[in-house]
Amino acid sequence: MMKAWLSSLALAAALSVAGVAGAADSTPTHPGQPSYPNQMEGDVVVRDFALTNGEHLANARFHYIALGTPQRDASGAITNGVLLLHGTTGSGRNFLNPSLGGELFGPGQPLDAAKYFIILADGIGHGGSSKPSDGLKGRFPHYGYVDAVEGQYRTVTEGLGIKHLKLVAGTSMGGMQTWIWGERHPDMMDALMPIASQPVAISGRNMLWRQLIIEAIRNDPEWKGGDYTAQPTGYTRALPIFQIMVNNASILQQQAPSRAAATTLYDQWVADYAKTVDANDYLYWFESSYDYDPGPELEKIKAKLVAVNFADDLLNPAELGVMEAAMKRIPHGRYVLIPASDQTRGHQTLTQAKVWKGALEDVLK
């Protein structure tokens, strides 16, 4: 079955349908990550990818990891596709971590890879997909969330030949993009599950801490308008705000139980960022939410939707009442707010599938 599937992708590449070339290869998993049935990686290349702001990206590459085997109906259409979307600072590979994939993709688990064909997509600007650090640096087109969804859509439809999905689900930024999927492609899926997100333009506290990061990068003298040859380092002193915002007070207290421990932890965070982060990639990640605002078109969502948030999530404050108002406008929508407990980690509870996979089982019924 795998050989047949890879052959079909090779054929798609040869035909170059609609200016899209598909490619696939069997690639081993990273150390420490489990392997799943028929796990492989591939790229879909769009020769001229047009962005909503009028910019274009030539030979845009959209990377994905796929698990499982496609099941087909009598017409040959894939019937068991599932698309999972990652957060702002991650990639599709995050879902292979034991606290996610280990709870979701195994035998008898909600997204059993023996039952579903699972696509872990790298959004534009992330992972193996086209991004500023590939070479264009600050000249890379300024993509938004709608552009990211378009890249995912073309990967699924033109690259992998899937016309309909069982589920689109995502965490954080991926959750926000899940709302966009439901509005822009309402007949494309049976179910939607946005996790750790709200269907409203980013503002208030959520925008203020993001703006801090954006301004720290743009005002770092070493950034040089994005045309640096050595990585800037000054802005990394501001990046620990990310860790502060996405973890709850209990986790941070455990990690930094004294003044000295907090200083040490802060210094370690800064050192880690300086070693692992590309300034342009990071800047584009946080600026790309500029076009996110699904609020005006929630009525367009047709699929069954279960939205999951966490009561101790500072990025998506439950007290704003956004979710309750949104559910009244979605025909088949349901909202699950998971109370704070010793199992939750604020926004980062999204990494703990054991906490929220019950809601996933519900949306798949």
Side-chain angles (χ1 to χ4, degrees):
M1 177 65 76
M2 174 57 71
K3 289 182 179 179
W5 179 45
L6 293 180
S7 297
S8 68
L9 283 179
L11 177 60
L15 293 174
S16 188
V17 177
V20 177
D25 59 81
S26 56
T27 306
T29 59
H30 284 198
Q33 290 183 329
S35 180
Y36 296 98
N38 292 336
Q39 182 171 327
M40 51 79 66
E41 300 189 32
D43 296 305
V44 172
V45 178
V46 179
R47 302 193 194 287
D48 179 25
F49 186 64
L51 279 68
T52 57
N53 64 3
E55 296 183 72
H56 290 254
L57 179 62
N59 297 315
R61 183 180 66 257
F62 298 98
H63 187 73
Y64 63 88
I65 298 173
L67 319 173
T69 302
Q71 297 174 3
R72 300 178 184 273
D73 61 18
S75 69
I78 294 173
T79 60
N80 63 334
V82 168
L83 177 65
L84 299 182
L85 308 174
H86 61 81
T88 301
T89 62
S91 71
R93 190 172 297 278
N94 289 85
F95 287 102
L96 298 180
N97 291 331
S99 65
L100 288 170
E103 297 283 340
L104 299 176
F105 305 146
Q109 292 177 339
L111 292 175
D112 187 336
K115 179 180 178 182
Y116 293 100
F117 178 53
I118 305 162
I119 304 114
L120 313 177
D122 287 354
I124 186 173
H126 298 260
S129 294
S130 294
K131 53 189 178 294
S133 61
D134 291 339
L136 288 178
K137 298 183 177 179
R139 297 180 299 279
F140 196 85
H142 292 82
Y143 61 86
Y145 281 11
V146 173
D147 300 311
V149 169
E150 177 64 15
Q152 296 153 3
Y153 177 78
R154 298 189 70 171
T155 296
V156 169
T157 58
E158 298 174 41
L160 296 173
I162 299 174
K163 298 178 180 179
H164 191 82
L165 293 160
K166 298 292 288 185
L167 170 73
V168 177
T171 58
S172 192
M173 179 186 73
M176 290 187 275
Q177 292 170 357
T178 298
W179 293 101
I180 298 173
W181 263 90
E183 292 182 354
R184 293 182 69 87
H185 307 289
D187 297 312
M188 182 69 191
M189 73 293 293
D190 292 334
L192 295 159
M193 186 169 171
I195 303 166
S197 67
Q198 293 181 336
V200 64
I202 295 174
S203 60
R205 181 171 59 192
N206 198 2
M207 187 62 218
L208 289 168
W209 77 273
R210 293 167 183 266
Q211 193 65 25
L212 185 153
I213 290 174
I214 290 168
E215 294 298 330
I217 297 173
R218 289 195 169 275
N219 288 282
D220 189 324
E222 299 175 4
W223 180 62
K224 300 178 181 178
D227 196 28
Y228 49 84
T229 54
Q231 282 291 332
T233 58
Y235 79 96
T236 61
R237 310 301 298 184
L239 296 192
I241 188 64
F242 179 85
Q243 302 291 346
I244 295 168
M245 289 298 299
V246 301
N247 288 291
N248 66 17
S250 177
I251 292 294
L252 293 173
Q253 190 65 34
Q254 292 173 30
Q255 294 177 339
S258 68
R259 182 184 182 91
T263 301
T264 299
L265 180 61
Y266 170 82
D267 289 341
Q268 184 61 57
W269 282 341
V270 171
D272 289 344
Y273 280 121
K275 290 185 293 186
T276 60
V277 170
D278 178 84
N280 282 326
D281 287 352
Y282 216 84
L283 175 66
Y284 275 70
W285 293 347
F286 282 90
E287 288 191 330
S288 64
S289 63
Y290 77 90
D291 64 347
Y292 178 69
D293 187 11
E297 298 186 321
L298 290 174
E299 284 83 2
K300 290 185 177 181
I301 296 175
K302 297 180 181 179
K304 178 181 179 181
L305 181 146
V306 175
V308 176
N309 280 339
F310 315 115
D312 53 358
D313 181 358
L314 290 179
L315 272 62
N316 301 289
E319 60 267 29
L320 295 183
V322 169
M323 301 304 296
E324 291 82 358
M327 289 304 109
K328 295 176 182 178
R329 300 170 53 200
I330 300 172
H332 307 289
R334 189 167 77 87
Y335 171 43
V336 176
L337 180 65
I338 295 179
S341 71
D342 58 1
Q343 298 294 309
T344 60
R345 302 183 178 186
H347 189 70
Q348 286 293 75
T349 309
L350 63 85
T351 67
Q352 306 299 307
K354 63 182 179 182
V355 177
W356 48 260
K357 67 180 182 181
L360 177 58
E361 292 170 342
D362 177 59
V363 80
L364 290 169
K365 289 179 182 177

